[in-house]
Amino acid sequence: MKLLLTSTLILALNCLIAQNTQILPFTGIQYHENGISGKEIEVELDDNTWTSNQLPIESSFKIRLVKPKGYAVDENGNYHPNIRVTIFNSEGDTVGHADKFMGDDAVFDQFSLKNLTLTLGFRPGTALGHYLIKAVFYDQLSSNTLNLDFNVELMEKVEPKPITQYESSISSYKSYFFKMSNFKAEEALLGAVDFSKYDDKVIVPVSILGINIPKEQFSNVAASEFTLYSSSKVMSIQASSQTRVITNSDGTTQLDILFILPKNEYKKDDIVRFRWDSEDKKYVMDCILKLP
């Protein structure tokens, strides 16, 4: 049995994205590598992987740069990393700042520079709502940085908590990164894009194969979040999406997505983000796709 779902979605962009800025699945953190990078960036809430940007009040979270590189070494073979943090409220006012989060004398040798961790939380009594966290992992011996922007929604109660102990991913170095909580998929396929077929739109087909949860879990897939991050301008455009859910002969689920974008707004290497949450919030799929 095949289920075809069609929806009209608004692609909203609330900040300007630099050409080589990347998007972290689950949390939507935007990060820009300017000389400093790592094997991966982990974001944890209650010592589990954080799967959204919803923060229960009086909770703390961690942003961990795993196996960092790009730091200069001094004459003694040591590294001098640090972290700068600024927190803004929804009106743009600064509500917190630390220029040297790791202290004045942070020194690591080649054996101890394995992970750099930023742990943050909000004071009791902080107003609920949206906050922007700007964090910069920087080198005190050079101009190298890793810049992160994280939009957090501070909430009284989040049920269930947006965390998972089991995550999986499938990725292509140049084009896509899928991350999933509490389930896995075998493969993602990007179909060919025919730019000459339509005068007013471009259709980008994507298929996720071998999903090991039943298609009934995708009953709300038409209401998924769909965001376009542009490197050229701030925009809010209207687009549409068609989604088909199939049960394969081996019992696995296949999810087909057609991203339908206005042709005059389409730009190569812009980023489309597709996020789906099951109705019980147990399962999450987050797709970061660079337009071909």
Side-chain angles (χ1 to χ4, degrees), residues 26-259:
F26 283 174
T27 56
I29 289 178
Q30 300 162 20
Y31 65 98
H32 176 85
E33 297 172 345
N34 183 31
I36 291 177
S37 61
K39 181 180 179 181
E40 61 181 314
I41 301 172
E42 297 176 344
V43 189
E44 293 183 352
L45 175 65
D46 297 338
D47 297 319
N48 291 293
T49 299
W50 194 2
T51 61
S52 80
N53 67 340
Q54 294 180 332
L55 178 65
I57 196 167
E58 298 183 1
S59 296
S60 62
F61 62 92
K62 298 176 183 178
I63 301 176
R64 181 180 296 111
L65 182 62
V66 180
K67 294 186 178 179
K69 58 183 180 180
Y71 291 94
V73 62
D74 66 16
E75 63 274 8
N76 298 315
N78 293 323
Y79 303 90
H80 298 261
N82 222 312
I83 306 172
R84 182 181 302 113
V85 184
T86 308
I87 303 176
F88 303 90
N89 62 18
S90 57
E91 287 75 37
D93 300 322
T94 301
V95 297
H97 177 77
D99 194 59
K100 293 185 177 181
F101 182 86
M102 302 177 67
D104 293 328
D105 302 309
V107 180
F108 293 77
D109 60 23
Q110 60 177 324
F111 302 105
S112 59
L113 189 65
K114 295 181 179 179
N115 301 314
L116 296 175
T117 302
L118 172 64
T119 303
L120 289 175
F122 289 84
R123 296 187 185 94
T126 300
L128 303 179
H130 294 269
Y131 292 86
L132 171 62
I133 298 173
K134 286 184 169 289
V136 182
F137 288 75
Y138 67 94
D139 182 12
Q140 298 186 88
L141 300 181
S142 73
S143 60
N144 290 352
T145 63
L146 170 66
N147 300 65
L148 302 96
D149 286 4
F150 188 14
N151 289 288
V152 171
E153 184 180 6
L154 187 63
M155 304 179 69
E156 180 70 42
K157 191 175 183 181
V158 182
E159 292 292 347
K161 280 192 174 180
I163 58 174
T164 182
Q165 294 181 336
Y166 174 76
E167 60 180 278
S168 61
S169 61
I170 47 178
S171 62
S172 165
Y173 176 73
K174 292 184 177 181
S175 55
Y176 63 80
F177 185 27
F178 286 83
K179 202 165 188 177
M180 294 149 283
S181 70
N182 297 315
F183 73 100
K184 63 181 180 179
E186 294 179 357
E187 186 180 9
L189 298 177
L190 303 186
V193 179
D194 187 350
F195 295 95
S196 62
K197 188 173 183 178
Y198 303 100
D199 293 331
D200 60 341
K201 60 187 175 183
V202 177
I203 297 178
V204 182
V206 180
S207 294
I208 303 98
L209 311 179
I211 300 172
N212 66 338
I213 56 175
K215 71 177 181 63
E216 288 76 14
Q217 289 288 348
F218 290 92
S219 60
N220 64 332
V221 70
S224 302
E225 296 180 27
F226 184 18
T227 309
L228 174 67
Y229 298 85
S230 172
S231 60
S232 58
K233 59 183 178 179
V234 177
M235 68 178 72
S236 179
I237 64 175
Q238 188 169 355
S240 61
S241 171
Q242 290 184 357
T243 309
R244 182 175 60 174
V245 187
I246 304 170
T247 298
N248 295 317
S249 57
D250 60 359
T252 61
T253 298
Q254 176 176 329
L255 178 61
D256 295 335
I257 311 167
L258 298 179
F259 297 119

